[in-house]
Amino acid sequence: DLVKARRFFEMSIQLDPKNREIVVPNLNGLALVSLYEGQPENALEYLSRASALEKNNSITKINTIAVRMSGSKWNEAMREAQE
């Protein structure tokens, strides 16, 4: 259930909003929920926030590429994959 998943990720972030080890994975989770809800722009916003906290996180990079590819942003996806 996407509503429950979103609530879980949001609540997890609220538990310790300054802890990157908690926030980054949960922002990735929110991004995937947004993607499944058909909101790729929201997904990219969550992933941008995650990347700002932890620039070289491989999960964030993979998810960003996946979101861009799902929205036919092939050039951006390829650029991201090469970084």
Side-chain angles (χ1 to χ4, degrees), residues 11-66:
M11 289 176 66
S12 296
I13 291 170
Q14 289 175 359
L15 290 174
D16 196 354
K18 294 184 181 182
N19 185 337
R20 289 186 309 186
E21 291 179 11
I22 292 174
V23 175
V24 171
N26 285 291
L27 287 172
N28 273 275
L30 286 167
L32 294 177
V33 169
S34 293
L35 181 60
Y36 284 113
E37 291 175 334
Q39 301 173 345
E41 295 305 319
N42 288 349
L44 288 173
E45 177 60 33
Y46 286 122
L47 293 167
S48 176
R49 288 173 53 196
S51 183
L53 292 171
E54 200 171 289
K55 185 170 177 68
N56 293 319
N57 184 289
S58 59
I59 302 296
T60 301
K61 286 186 175 205
I62 290 168
N63 286 339
T64 301
I65 292 165

